[in-house]
């Protein structure tokens, strides 16, 4: 699936002067936490910001935000983790059938 950062896509360079060191450090930490380079994190952030500006009149119907997609992914990944306590499916289904649950 093509992305906004394919080599075939025309890209320009951008230089920003006077960025506070604390801002840079926070961006580096955020990029590292997401497994990205600082450049990739900044590209994605700028892309997201520009799209949000374009949609300032209202979000595109049916399109999930990045936070919503990340939350959905966390819920899906949680389905694969072991249960916190043993679970007896037969006893549970019997209780449902009996109306005791």
């Amino acid at each position: 699936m093509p992305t906004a950062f394919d080599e075939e896509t025309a890209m320009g360079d951008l230089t920003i002067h006077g960025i506070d060191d604390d801002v840079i450090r926070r961006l580096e930490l955020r990029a590292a936490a997401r497994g990205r380079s600082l450049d990739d994190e900044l590209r994605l952030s700028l892309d997201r910001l520009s799209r949000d500006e374009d949609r300032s009149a209202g979000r595109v119907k049916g399109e999930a935000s990045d936070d919503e997609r990340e939350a959905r992914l966390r819920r899906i990944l949680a389905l694969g983790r072991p249960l916190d306590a043993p679970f007896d499916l037969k006893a549970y289904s019997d209780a449902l059938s009996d109306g005791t649950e």
Side-chain angles (χ1 to χ4, degrees):
M1 174 191 302
T3 68
F5 306 115
D6 286 342
E7 291 184 36
E8 298 173 335
T9 304
M11 291 188 214
D13 292 330
L14 176 67
T15 302
I16 304 174
H17 299 281
I19 305 295
D20 187 83
D21 288 341
D22 289 337
V23 172
I24 294 171
R25 183 69 186 137
R26 285 193 306 271
L27 288 168
E28 288 172 335
L29 289 171
R30 186 170 81 178
R34 296 176 176 177
R36 300 181 183 130
S37 69
L38 178 59
D39 284 354
D40 284 343
E41 183 67 23
L42 291 171
R43 280 187 204 97
L44 289 168
S45 295
L46 288 170
D47 182 63
R48 195 174 308 127
L49 179 64
S50 69
R51 290 176 193 278
D52 289 347
E53 274 296 309
D54 292 344
R55 292 189 297 234
S56 62
R59 197 166 91 199
V60 175
K61 185 177 179 180
E63 184 175 321
S65 70
D66 287 340
D67 289 338
E68 291 167 330
R69 282 192 292 269
E70 286 183 31
R72 186 179 309 131
L73 178 60
R74 280 193 298 277
R75 288 193 307 270
I76 291 168
L77 292 175
L79 295 172
R81 69 175 167 74
L83 297 175
D84 296 331
F87 181 74
D88 186 351
L89 180 59
K90 175 144 179 26
Y92 183 72
S93 65
D94 288 346
L96 284 176
S97 296
D98 297 343
T100 58
E101 181 64 30

